[in-house]
Amino acid sequence: MCCLEHPTKPESQFHSTMNIFSKSTVIALFMAALPVSASFGGEAPSQLWSASPPPVQQTFSNISMYGGEGFYWGIQGGINAYQSYEGTERANIGGKSIALEMREKLGGFGGVKWGYAFGSGNGILSAFEADVFYNGADYDLDGRVDTKKFGSATGRFDTGAIMGNYIVRFGTGRLQPYVGAGIGGWLGQVSDTRLSIDGIGSVRIGSDETNGGFAWQLLAGVDYYLSEKMSFFSEYKFLNYHGIDLPTSDPVQQHLVGAGVRFHF
């Protein structure tokens, strides 16, 4: 029986199949890797996986806010640029019309502020603040008889104002504008009044008188932050005094322009 076939051993058949499978698998994986490598510009996947992640963008919530919420205090000073002394005191003596007319002069103010700022972190902050300052100015009086000037008077009007302000502040950067309004009161004294009569001379008249009344103001300004907790500010106040015992209109409107330094803590 020379032509009898010897049966294939199971072990040889298994090794043959594994060799074919291994070659086919390697070829298939190599072919599949070609388009992936091409799409990443030829970089190996290990190089791509080892790359650092993209930086996280900074959001509004973690931006450092200049000033921010909390308590603050400041010092301020400036000029009283204008007073609306528009009233005229009139009298009739011996058939003659006597009139005293006030004229404004440049004055000054200075004081302190302290308050508390609060807000939702959306770029708008509110604040309640106490605004306490000295405010003083000289004044002139012209005396006329039947429209003819006969003399003049000079004096000084010194006051202290205590105001409670509500402020709205805009922005979180170094430059922060703001607006506000306040109510309060004033206490003052008219002093050193001297009357000069043409051709005769001058004399000090009256005594120093103290009175006070209601006050209100509108204000606007801007802070520039030198650091996160310290700022330089400039401010305008439209200040109104009611109840002044002077020959002038009521209320007396005043325009104050000043600057100062604010500290947050």
Side-chain angles (χ1 to χ4, degrees), residues 102-119:
M102 289 193 71
R103 291 184 287 110
E104 72 280 351
K105 297 187 74 174
L106 192 68
F109 77 97
V112 296
K113 292 172 174 280
W114 64 91
Y116 182 82
F118 57 95

Side-chain angles (χ1 to χ4, degrees), residues 18-233:
M18 288 301 295
N19 289 335
I20 296 173
F21 176 78
S22 298
K23 294 178 180 178
S24 301
T25 302
V26 171
I27 294 173
L29 291 175
F30 179 78
M31 295 300 293
L34 288 178
V36 175
S37 177
S39 64
F40 286 101
E43 295 185 9
S46 60
Q47 293 176 331
L48 296 172
W49 294 336
S50 63
S52 58
V56 178
Q57 292 186 350
Q58 193 176 38
T59 61
F60 182 84
S61 60
N62 58 21
I63 294 177
S64 178
M65 183 183 297
Y66 288 90
E69 296 183 338
F71 290 96
Y72 65 86
W73 72 278
I75 55 176
Q76 60 180 329
I79 61 172
N80 187 332
Y82 177 81
Q83 312 88 36
S84 64
Y85 294 143
E86 298 174 351
T88 301
E89 188 81 7
R90 299 183 183 278
N92 193 294
I93 301 175
K96 298 290 186 178
S97 176
I98 309 297
L100 294 176
E101 299 177 346
M102 289 193 71
R103 291 184 287 110
E104 72 280 351
K105 297 187 74 174
L106 192 68
F109 77 97
V112 296
K113 292 172 174 280
W114 64 91
Y116 182 82
F118 57 95
S120 58
N122 59 356
I124 299 178
L125 287 175
S126 298
F128 289 109
E129 72 174 22
D131 190 7
V132 181
F133 53 92
Y134 158 82
N135 178 28
D138 294 330
Y139 64 87
D140 289 340
L141 283 168
D142 288 337
R144 300 181 182 276
V145 177
D146 294 336
T147 70
K148 182 180 179 180
K149 182 178 178 181
F150 70 88
S152 61
T154 61
R156 183 162 183 83
F157 186 43
D158 295 304
T159 70
I162 300 177
M163 310 295 294
N165 299 330
Y166 174 71
I167 307 294
V168 179
R169 185 181 301 276
F170 306 95
T172 58
R174 288 187 181 273
L175 199 65
Q176 296 183 19
Y178 61 90
V179 295
I183 59 173
W186 67 273
L187 183 67
Q189 184 179 69
V190 177
S191 61
D192 197 27
T193 302
R194 303 188 67 85
L195 175 65
S196 298
I197 301 176
D198 293 346
I200 297 178
S202 64
V203 61
R204 189 177 188 275
I205 60 173
S207 59
D208 295 346
E209 298 181 358
T210 300
N211 70 315
F214 174 71
W216 62 273
Q217 66 180 0
L218 301 176
L219 53 92
V222 61
D223 277 87
Y224 179 78
Y225 280 84
L226 306 174
S227 68
E228 290 188 359
K229 298 300 181 182
M230 177 181 175
S231 69
F232 172 83
F233 70 90

